[in-house]
């Protein structure tokens, strides 16, 4: 089925499904009924006017704004409204943080009630903070029942590195190509986040290829490689170590590099390396945690339990709160690892997170994502087979993306991804390209029918770009 046929079929399915979906999906997806609805050029005049004011005062490059400037006035459920009144379907939702919908009334109400009661008491116990820990302990795997709260992903990454250092007395970490863990100095040393201006990677950090078979860095075949990437990772770690190893940090499914899923056995291989050398395994589940991949934790797909998990972009549905969960085996060390943050876990953020957990559990959104995510990935795989500029469709659940290539050489092409992204946004679907990949990750409250219809619009944009090559 091509993009246009998918759109037609999905519209009919949407009409049939609207009454039977769980409350959060029915609410959020209902706003897509008349979206996309585009009545000005994108960007329109009001978007450009706000952008000019922005350019006067805000510094720092933001590639998506440079690619196609848009300014937003509001959002409802799975949609965004730009300054010119165009309504777009949102496949990025604040870098995948507003996963339960813009303007979610249950989350907004929880924040409002709590903010009127108590603003901030730093790390002192509050009912909301403690209840959140108790609820999370029911969800986290194994004995990962010790928590800390922060306001951003990168702070939680730093916290994980601190705990691992305290546990091991070491400071050397192994991480993987294509991973991203944040933009503070320690976090940047663990991924591909640096620029010529950010200075050298902190010493003690090593980055090696992960087990991503589509473009195997060792040019090996999955059927015969015997997971050479795991052996290489261990060997590189030992060769580069000066005897102060602390841990391995990995995204179990990658976000920044467009939803790379590692070879079966790769994550287990990392667990084994950590066990062999008495070091700490950290999974960065900022993008994947709390059900985005169709299980509560991406590590669950492989049955691998790390020592530390850091999560999650949408714990507060866009209200800033992130968390670290540490194994109880390390209670003494975690207690000494200096965890505090002025805004981390402030009461209204915890209230937002409790509302998010209530909705996730009440509406069984993790099961929904597993089912609908599979349908979406199948559609994307068909799309990859039909279109020569698509290299691969990848991901899990609602963390899905496409890699674009130059059809003549087969080389990964950031330029092609950017062209497709621009055409997709002009059609009223907001997507985020990163290098040669483009994430097309729906909110967790997107119905399968709306998600498939939206991906059909992505296919129309791809066909348009191809027709002009
Ligand atoms: C997997 C992952 N870890 C960490 C981060 C950093 O989060 P933040 O931007 O909130 O610092 C990100 C952000 O994109 C991410 O995708």
């Amino acid at each position: 089925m091509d993009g246009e046929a998918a759109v037609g079929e999905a519209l009919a399915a949407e009409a049939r499904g609207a009454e039977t979906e769980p409350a959060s999906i029915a609410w959020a997806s209902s706003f897509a009924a008349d979206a996309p609805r585009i009545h000005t050029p994108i960007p329109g005049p009001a978007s450009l006017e706000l952008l000019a004011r922005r350019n006067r005062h805000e510094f720092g490059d933001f590639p998506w704004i440079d690619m196609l400037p848009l300014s937003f006035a509001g959002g409802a459920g799975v949609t965004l409204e730009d300054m010119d009144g165009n309504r777009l379907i949102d496949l990025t939702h604040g870098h995948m943080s507003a996963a339960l919908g813009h303007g979610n009334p249950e989350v907004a109400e929880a924040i409002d009630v709590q903010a009127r009661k108590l603003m901030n008491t730093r790390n002192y116990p509050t009912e909301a903070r403690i209840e959140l820990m108790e609820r999370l302990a029911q969800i986290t795997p194994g004995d990962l029942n010790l928590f800390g709260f922060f306001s951003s992903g990168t702070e939680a990454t730093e916290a994980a590195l601190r705990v691992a250092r305290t546990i091991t007395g070491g400071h050397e970490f192994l991480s993987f190509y294509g991973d991203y863990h944040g933009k503070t100095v320690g976090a940047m040393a663990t991924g591909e986040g640096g620029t010529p201006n950010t200075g050298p990677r902190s010493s003690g950090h090593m980055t090696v290829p992960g087990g991503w078979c589509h473009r195997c860095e060792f040019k090996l075949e999955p059927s015969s490689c015997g997971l050479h990437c795991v052996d290489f990772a261990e060997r590189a770690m030992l060769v580069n170590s000066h005897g102060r190893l602390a841990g391995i940090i990995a995204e179990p499914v990658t976000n920044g590099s467009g939803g790379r899923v590692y070879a079966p056995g790769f994550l287990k291989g990392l667990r084994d390396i950590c066990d062999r050398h008495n070091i700490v395994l950290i999974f960065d589940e900022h993008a994947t945690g709390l059900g985005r991949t169709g299980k509560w934790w991406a590590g669950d797909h492989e049955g691998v339990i790390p020592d530390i998990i850091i999560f999650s972009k949408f714990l507060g549905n866009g209200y800033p709160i992130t968390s670290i969960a540490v194994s109880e085996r390390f209670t003494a060390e975690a207690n000494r690892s200096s965890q505090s943050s002025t805004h981390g876990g402030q009461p209204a953020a915890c209230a937002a997170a409790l509302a998010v957990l209530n909705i996730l559990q009440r509406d069984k959104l993790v099961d929904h994502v597993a089912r609908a995510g599979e349908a979406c990935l199948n559609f994307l795989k068909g799309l990859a087979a039909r279109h020569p500029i698509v290299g691969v469709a990848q991901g899990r659940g609602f963390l899905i993306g496409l890699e674009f290539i130059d059809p003549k050489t087969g080389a990964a092409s950031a330029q092609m991804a950017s062209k497709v992204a621009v055409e997709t946004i002009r059609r009223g679907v907001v997507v985020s390209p990163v290098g040669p990949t483009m994430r097309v990750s729906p909110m967790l409250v997107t119905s399968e029918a709306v998600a498939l219809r939206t991906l059909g619009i992505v296919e129309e944009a791809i066909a348009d770009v191809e027709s002009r090559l």
Side-chain angles (χ1 to χ4, degrees):
M1 194 178 11
D2 64 10
E4 221 167 297
V7 171
E9 175 139 322
L11 272 170
E14 258 173 74
R16 287 195 300 275
E19 284 158 27
T20 53
E21 300 283 11
S24 59
I25 300 177
W27 166 78
S29 298
S30 69
F31 297 99
D34 65 343
R37 193 189 60 205
I38 306 295
H39 63 92
T40 72
I42 300 264
S47 262
L48 288 172
E49 196 186 315
L50 200 60
L51 186 83
R53 284 169 59 198
R54 176 248 184 209
N55 288 346
R56 172 80 183 77
H57 292 291
E58 188 167 349
F59 74 92
D61 62 334
F62 192 66
W64 297 317
I65 297 181
D66 295 341
M67 184 184 79
L68 186 67
L70 262 186
S71 314
F72 293 108
V78 302
T79 65
L80 276 171
E81 188 147 320
D82 75 5
M83 292 298 293
D84 295 278
N86 297 303
R87 181 169 278 195
L88 303 97
I89 298 180
D90 190 3
L91 294 185
T92 64
H93 44 285
H95 216 36
M96 294 195 286
S97 62
L100 301 194
H102 295 291
N104 185 303
E106 292 173 81
V107 179
E109 168 81 6
I111 295 169
D112 182 51
V113 169
Q114 182 62 57
R116 285 169 195 281
K117 237 198 276 184
L118 182 66
M119 277 314 262
N120 196 340
T121 57
R122 203 165 189 237
N123 287 41
Y124 280 105
T126 60
E127 191 61 40
R129 186 181 182 97
I130 304 309
E131 190 186 338
L132 180 57
M133 294 184 193
E134 288 166 354
R135 292 281 299 279
L136 287 170
Q138 292 163 13
I139 296 171
T140 44
D143 66 351
L144 273 67
N145 295 329
L146 303 175
F147 299 98
F149 295 122
F150 307 94
S151 312
S152 65
T154 199
E155 280 176 275
T157 301
E158 298 290 343
L161 301 181
R162 279 200 300 278
V163 175
R165 282 171 177 235
T166 314
I167 291 169
T168 58
H171 58 269
E172 295 168 341
F173 288 93
L174 185 75
S175 56
F176 297 94
Y177 292 7
D179 270 11
Y180 177 67
H181 303 294
K183 275 210 176 66
T184 44
V185 172
M188 275 201 303
T190 62
E192 289 191 6
T195 74
N197 303 321
T198 50
R201 195 181 288 277
S202 311
S203 63
H205 288 272
M206 304 155 251
T207 302
V208 297
W212 184 50
C213 302
H214 173 62
R215 290 191 185 275
C216 173
E217 296 279 352
F218 305 104
K219 308 262 185 289
L220 296 173
E221 287 302 320
S223 55
S224 55
C225 71
L227 281 176
H228 175 70
C229 48
V230 174
D231 297 340
F232 181 87
E234 183 170 21
R235 176 107 183 93
M237 183 182 88
L238 295 176
V239 165
N240 285 290
S241 168
H242 294 162
R244 284 285 182 270
L245 288 171
I248 297 180
I249 179 165
E251 284 186 76
V253 176
T254 73
N255 178 32
S257 43
R260 290 181 189 174
V261 176
Y262 288 128
F266 178 73
L267 298 178
K268 168 78 169 54
L270 302 187
R271 176 71 273 176
D272 292 343
I273 295 175
C274 289
D275 292 343
R276 267 197 294 281
H277 301 286
N278 279 321
I279 58 174
V280 174
L281 181 61
I282 303 165
F283 278 171
D284 177 346
E285 297 238 18
H286 282 305
T288 53
L290 294 185
R292 161 81 61 190
T293 66
K295 288 193 186 285
W296 278 106
W297 308 99
D300 294 352
H301 293 278
E302 292 275 317
V304 178
I305 302 181
D307 303 300
I308 295 176
I309 292 179
I310 44 180
F311 63 102
S312 153
K313 277 172 182 287
F314 70 87
L315 182 56
N317 193 39
Y319 203 75
I321 177 166
T322 60
S323 185
I324 179 174
V326 180
S327 163
E328 284 175 341
R329 283 180 297 132
F330 302 120
T331 303
E333 294 88 342
N335 280 338
R336 292 202 312 273
S337 67
S338 185
Q339 305 297 335
S340 71
S341 148
T342 299
H343 298 294
Q346 52 107 332
C350 291
L354 283 166
V356 166
L357 293 184
N358 287 344
I359 298 166
L360 283 174
Q361 291 178 318
R362 181 196 68 205
D363 291 352
K364 299 188 172 44
L365 291 183
V366 185
D367 295 341
H368 161 69
V369 169
R371 273 191 310 274
E374 201 180 333
C376 288
L377 189 59
N378 284 339
F379 178 78
L380 290 184
K381 284 184 174 161
L383 176 160
R386 287 189 289 278
H387 293 280
I389 63 169
V390 180
V392 72
Q394 60 186 7
R396 239 180 197 146
F398 273 175
L399 178 52
I400 45 181
L402 296 165
E403 182 209 57
F404 290 91
I405 56 174
D406 177 332
K408 292 200 189 84
T409 62
S413 169
Q415 203 192 12
M416 201 67 80
S418 178
K419 277 186 191 171
V420 172
V422 167
E423 282 312 318
T424 307
I425 298 170
R426 287 208 168 117
R427 283 170 167 72
V429 175
V430 186
V431 288
S432 50
V434 198
T437 59
M438 187 174 92
R439 275 162 303 194
V440 287
S441 297
M443 294 180 186
L444 271 65
V445 286
T446 314
S447 70
E448 184 175 317
V450 168
L452 287 171
R453 171 162 68 87
T454 309
L455 296 179
I457 299 171
V458 173
E459 181 165 16
E460 287 172 18
I462 292 171
D464 184 15
V465 169
E466 271 174 357
S467 72
R468 284 183 281 118
L469 285 180

